Amino acid sequence: MPDRELTTTSHAILGLLAIKPWSTYELAAQMRRNLHYFWPRAESNLYAEPKRLVEDGLAKARSEPVGRRRRTVYSITAKGRRALERWLAEPAAESRLESETLVKAMFAPYGTKEELLGHVRRLLDELQTTQQQLRTIFSEYLAGEDPFPERAHINVVCYRLIWDYTKTATSWAAWAIDQVERWPDVTAPTDRRELMKVLEEALAADTNAPCEVR
Amino acid sequence: MPDRELTTTSHAILGLLAIKPWSTYELAAQMRRNLHYFWPRAESNLYAEPKRLVEDGLAKARSEPVGRRRRTVYSITAKGRRALERWLAEPAAESRLESETLVKAMFAPYGTKEELLGHVRRLLDELQTTQQQLRTIFSEYLAGEDPFPERAHINVVCYRLIWDYTKTATSWAAWAIDQVERWPDVTAPTDRRELMKVLEEALAADTNAPCEVR
DNA sequence: GGACACATGTAACGGGTTACATGATTTC
DNA sequence: GAAATCATGTAACCCGTTACATGTGTCC
């Protein structure tokens, strides 16, 4: 048991195992369903991580035959539950947003206007796909078909941030496309006064009141 | 010149070098000012990356003495500019949100209600700090003191997404705290009907109209 | 019986992280 | 002249990535 420092991903999986035992594939599917929206990781990672948990005595693996292959079902140990509880008591790392689209936007003057529009349009697409997935999940909840109703309160709170973020980003993308389309080209500064109005409006609307959703 | 695959971070730095030459420290400061909001990286990284760019012939380094130490000033090469332009033409990777706070929230039933509230409150703090930083930067723009006025149109568009996101997340955090405070404890499902109303409202407000800012 | 999605991994590399170190400059 | 902060890095580890490989049910 090397007892190395566990990562957030380790604890995320530990948390899922605390709910019930899962096979790796089920774990992957479950992460796609919710964790992926705020803790995105490549699926191959999910095959490595539980092994480390077993090494540390935080989970145990049971190997079941499926045809000529085997599959591994993991479950949490008492030590694992304690580790999870300790981790929950520690402060969380800062949240972060990573957007290569914005990085490319930042340097758009070295490319073309069409490229910039393409990047933002693709982001808009992505976001609409996410919205569609969320709508599907929400409908399940509304139909009372969610698999863990005793966790609904938590899940709804978490999903709401993702939903709000996605909507905000969608609105931004639509607005940004509209703006960029009006520029003669990417290097030209548009009317400075217009630009400043955007910042002024942001600052002006800067009460802590929630953004009104109609 | 090993000509390895460049990362987003490489290109981000290449982009900054396309604007003007910088010392590593200036690069770090500049990244803190904008890129950091949508491409957060540890600063130590910024000392390694330009060296790789030089190895690949995409940048060149000039070493200047400062007292008994030296500092390195980097500038872009013609090859570097071409690499940047090629990269701008490629589609961007998907954007991602990483929030350990939400991961901890997800497994809050294995901890205490106070812990959960603590996590969300800390997130709220973080977000308010970010808002304050952005307000400072916006004021600079409004006072006409931004260092690259020819880039204002790009910067304003990028900043707006960060601002909107920060505001949305702030509202969410305030709302979440309010919700959680009303729960008797983290394991208890509150009134299911109340929860479903949250989802219904989300779906109901789901036109593609932009979120109104008062 | 071929295609296709579902299911279950392994291998290898490298970017990013944290931790550490130390010189210059300003403040008091 | 001590402390704090600004400036400039180095070292080492390892998580996460991409790419690859192969088995299993099922649909037509």
Side-chain angles (χ1 to χ4, degrees):
Chain A
M1 307 188 198
D3 265 44
R4 81 218 142 88
E5 216 56 40
L6 298 180
T7 65
T8 304
T9 306
S10 319
H11 287 104
I13 292 180
L14 216 43
L16 287 176
L17 294 181
I19 301 175
K20 62 163 244 190
W22 315 72
S23 77
T24 326
Y25 186 79
E26 290 168 324
L27 274 176
Q30 184 59 29
M31 295 199 77
R32 260 198 305 277
R33 208 182 129 87
N34 43 39
L35 275 162
H36 183 74
Y37 293 110
F38 43 87
W39 199 255
R41 286 301 177 266
E43 300 210 339
S44 68
N45 221 351
L46 308 184
Y47 287 87
E49 199 51 56
K51 291 186 180 164
R52 295 176 203 148
L53 294 179
V54 170
E55 261 187 73
D56 291 347
L58 305 172
K60 44 186 201 295
R62 183 164 28 99
S63 187
E64 296 180 345
V66 178
R68 295 228 313 275
R69 307 190 72 164
R70 329 223 77 226
R71 75 163 181 176
T72 316
V73 176
Y74 293 94
S75 50
I76 195 169
T77 63
K79 188 178 171 189
R81 284 191 191 273
R82 285 195 300 274
L84 179 60
E85 283 159 19
R86 269 201 310 280
W87 176 74
L88 284 171
E90 290 162 19
E94 283 202 15
S95 294
R96 48 159 67 191
L97 183 62
E98 287 192 6
S99 172
E100 198 183 31
T101 302
L102 278 195
V103 181
K104 296 210 182 204
M106 202 71 180
F107 302 114
Y110 304 107
T112 71
K113 179 173 154 177
E114 269 317 309
E115 281 166 11
L116 174 55
L117 282 170
H119 295 317
V120 184
R121 288 202 188 103
R122 227 164 296 120
L123 175 62
L124 185 55
D125 271 7
E126 259 178 48
L127 291 164
Q128 281 170 349
T129 304
T130 303
Q131 277 190 48
Q132 194 46 57
Q133 292 165 353
L134 291 174
R135 269 187 224 110
T136 306
I137 294 173
F138 289 4
S139 314
E140 270 182 49
Y141 275 82
L142 290 173
E145 290 163 358
D146 46 318
F148 303 102
E150 75 282 7
R151 296 181 45 80
H153 57 308
I154 297 289
N155 292 340
V156 166
V157 166
C158 292
Y159 276 130
R160 191 188 169 156
L161 176 56
I162 303 307
W163 176 262
D164 287 354
Y165 158 68
T166 309
K167 281 216 68 175
T168 299
T170 303
S171 300
W172 174 85
W175 170 82
I177 289 168
D178 188 58
Q179 292 286 307
V180 174
E181 273 171 350
R182 273 191 254 149
W183 297 347
D185 70 278
V186 263
T187 54
T190 30
D191 184 9
R192 170 104 188 176
R193 188 164 299 274
E194 282 287 319
L195 284 172
M196 294 305 110
K197 238 162 54 182
V198 174
L199 298 181
E200 272 161 17
E201 276 171 20
L203 290 178
D206 186 15
T207 69
N208 277 336
C211 175
E212 288 300 326
V213 183
R214 337 174 298 157
Chain B
M1 307 189 199
D3 265 43
R4 80 216 144 90
E5 216 55 40
L6 298 180
T7 65
T8 305
T9 307
S10 318
H11 287 105
I13 292 180
L14 216 42
L16 287 175
L17 295 181
I19 301 175
K20 63 163 241 187
W22 314 73
S23 75
T24 327
Y25 187 80
E26 290 169 324
L27 275 175
Q30 185 59 30
M31 296 199 76
R32 261 197 304 276
R33 208 182 130 85
N34 44 37
L35 275 162
H36 183 73
Y37 292 111
F38 43 87
W39 198 254
R41 286 302 176 266
E43 300 212 338
S44 67
N45 222 352
L46 308 185
Y47 286 86
E49 200 50 57
K51 292 187 179 163
R52 295 176 203 148
L53 294 178
V54 171
E55 262 187 74
D56 291 345
L58 305 172
K60 44 187 201 296
R62 184 163 29 95
S63 186
E64 296 180 344
V66 178
R68 296 226 313 275
R69 308 189 71 163
R70 328 224 76 227
R71 73 164 182 177
T72 316
V73 176
Y74 293 94
S75 50
I76 195 168
T77 64
K79 188 176 172 190
R81 283 190 192 274
R82 285 195 300 275
L84 179 61
E85 283 159 19
R86 269 201 310 279
W87 176 74
L88 284 172
E90 291 163 16
E94 284 202 14
S95 295
R96 50 157 68 190
L97 183 63
E98 288 192 3
S99 172
E100 199 184 28
T101 302
L102 278 194
V103 181
K104 296 208 182 204
M106 203 70 181
F107 301 115
Y110 303 108
T112 71
K113 178 172 154 179
E114 268 317 309
E115 281 167 10
L116 174 55
L117 283 170
H119 295 317
V120 183
R121 288 201 188 105
R122 227 165 294 120
L123 175 61
L124 185 55
D125 269 8
E126 259 178 51
L127 291 164
Q128 282 170 348
T129 304
T130 302
Q131 276 191 49
Q132 194 47 57
Q133 291 166 354
L134 290 173
R135 268 186 224 112
T136 305
I137 293 173
F138 289 4
S139 313
E140 269 182 50
Y141 275 81
L142 291 172
E145 290 163 357
D146 47 319
F148 302 102
E150 75 281 6
R151 296 181 44 81
H153 57 308
I154 296 289
N155 292 339
V156 167
V157 167
C158 291
Y159 276 130
R160 193 192 166 149
L161 176 55
I162 304 306
W163 177 261
D164 288 354
Y165 158 68
T166 309
K167 281 214 67 173
T168 299
T170 302
S171 300
W172 174 84
W175 170 81
I177 289 168
D178 189 59
Q179 292 286 307
V180 174
E181 273 171 348
R182 272 191 255 148
W183 298 347
D185 70 280
V186 263
T187 55
T190 30
D191 184 10
R192 170 107 188 173
R193 189 165 298 275
E194 281 288 318
L195 284 171
M196 295 305 110
K197 241 166 48 188
V198 174
L199 298 182
E200 271 162 17
E201 278 170 20
L203 290 177
D206 187 15
T207 69
N208 278 337
C211 176
E212 288 299 327
V213 183
R214 335 175 298 158

